[in-house]
Structure formats: structure tokens, C-alpha cells
Amino acid sequence: MNRFEEKTVSSNLLFEGKIISLRIDEVELPDGKRAKRELIDHPGAVAIIPITDDGKIILVEQYRKALNRSLIEIPAGKIEPGEDINVTALRELEEETGYGANRFEYLQSFATSPGFANEIIHIFVAQGLYKIDKPAAGDEDEFIELFECTIEEAEEMVLDQRIYDAKTAFAILHAKKLLKD
């Protein structure tokens, strides 16, 4: 047992939705005391850093109700049950940008909010982009606008908070390194 491990004593599912579920776990702490943990279960997601042949990054802008504002992000989406993350990433790239990629590479995974959620995002890099004649349709409730920018412009958007989400800021750091190499 890890010296900081919390043993689950009981678990109570409060809500099960289309994307997430919420439960409260009672845990036994390392010192023997008990505490409650409010936890969100999420199936995970992928995010893609699409890099054009001229070294620009393709970003999407969309409204995010949880923050009540539009955000500029890298293309991303939820993993469907039983779906391989590579399949999810290629699907999301096509649905959100209309592009495919000749070179597609897994980069890294990370936890988004480990204090209360188990969501893991898997980051991919897409290069050798090509336009798909009849791309798969995106989600019917998703309204997005595409644009390209340089890595310097993306860094500026992080600094002035137009890029406000962690996965995109994280991806910009990786893209900068990739574009230097």
C-alpha cells in the first residue's frame, strides 16, 4: 500500500449523465481517520496539435458554457466507450477541422483535475495535414470556428488569456519545442 493511499470504505453514485458521473466515496485515510471525497468519473479525452506544412497551428474557437465564454483551443473530444485513443484522435481531427494527417503521433497524457476528477487527456501531434473532401460531421450542438496562427501568436494568446484552458496552454509548450526541432 502506498503510504498516502486512501482505502475506499463505501461509494455512493449520485448522478450518471451522458458525459460524466458523480459519486461520493467515504475513504479511510493513512492515519485511520475517515473522510468523504466528491469524485467525477469521466471517460477521458484526446486533444490534437495540428501543425500545417508552413509551421502554423490550427486552433478552434468555441463557446464553453461552464465558463460562460468563448475559448480558443486545440481540437479535442471525448473518448467513446471501448474506442482506441488513436481512433478518437483521428476522428476528432476530421470532425473539428476537416483535415486528416499523414503523420500522426502520440505525445503525452495528463490528468486535468486530479483533486476531484479522473479525466485523462491524451495529446497527439498531427502533421502532413490534408483537407478531407467530405469530412465526418461534428457534434450537432457544437459550433466552432477554425483559424491558424504561429507559435508566437499562440503564446501571446496564452499570456492575454484568450487561450485559457490547460490542455491548449500545455500543447503550446510542446508545439514550440516541435517547431524548433
Side-chain angles (χ1 to χ4, degrees):
M1 181 167 137
N2 179 309
R3 66 186 176 124
F4 298 117
E5 186 174 345
E6 298 177 352
K7 180 181 174 191
T8 302
V9 176
S10 65
S11 187
N12 182 22
L13 181 65
L14 298 178
F15 172 79
E16 189 164 13
K18 181 179 163 188
I19 298 173
I20 63 162
S21 62
L22 170 63
R23 69 178 200 274
I24 296 181
D25 284 4
E26 183 177 1
V27 298
E28 183 178 313
L29 302 172
D31 66 359
K33 294 179 183 174
R34 291 193 175 185
K36 296 210 184 278
R37 300 289 185 244
E38 298 172 359
L39 303 170
I40 293 176
D41 286 320
H42 186 283
V46 299
I48 306 97
I49 307 168
I51 301 174
T52 65
D53 289 341
D54 61 349
K56 292 187 176 179
I57 301 167
I58 297 176
L59 297 172
V60 299
E61 183 173 359
Q62 61 185 321
Y63 189 78
R64 294 299 195 176
K65 182 59 182 163
L67 297 176
N68 285 315
R69 67 179 271 197
S70 288
L71 294 181
I72 295 171
E73 306 174 50
I74 58 174
K78 179 177 69 76
I79 301 167
E80 297 300 331
E83 188 174 47
D84 180 87
I85 61 173
N86 293 287
V87 172
T88 306
L90 287 167
R91 175 177 51 76
E92 288 295 334
L93 177 67
E94 181 178 340
E95 286 178 3
E96 291 201 1
T97 69
Y99 283 95
N102 288 316
R103 293 185 313 281
F104 204 74
E105 181 181 353
Y106 167 80
L107 186 62
Q108 185 175 345
S109 299
F110 68 94
T112 60
S113 300
F116 63 88
N118 65 358
E119 179 186 27
I120 302 294
I121 294 183
H122 309 278
I123 304 282
F124 291 81
V125 176
Q127 293 177 296
L129 301 177
Y130 58 88
K131 200 74 171 145
I132 296 175
D133 289 335
K134 295 180 182 176
D139 298 337
E140 64 183 31
D141 63 349
E142 189 172 56
F143 298 89
I144 61 177
E145 184 175 318
L146 291 178
F147 67 94
E148 297 178 8
C149 69
T150 65
I151 190 64
E152 294 80 16
E153 291 167 331
E155 286 178 305
E156 192 59 38
M157 286 187 265
V158 171
L159 294 174
D160 69 18
Q161 296 188 352
R162 284 178 288 160
I163 291 178
Y164 193 67
D165 74 301
K167 76 176 177 314
T168 303
F170 183 82
I172 298 305
L173 290 175
H174 280 289
K176 184 174 182 178
K177 183 178 181 333
L178 290 169
L179 290 167
K180 280 185 177 180
D181 295 344

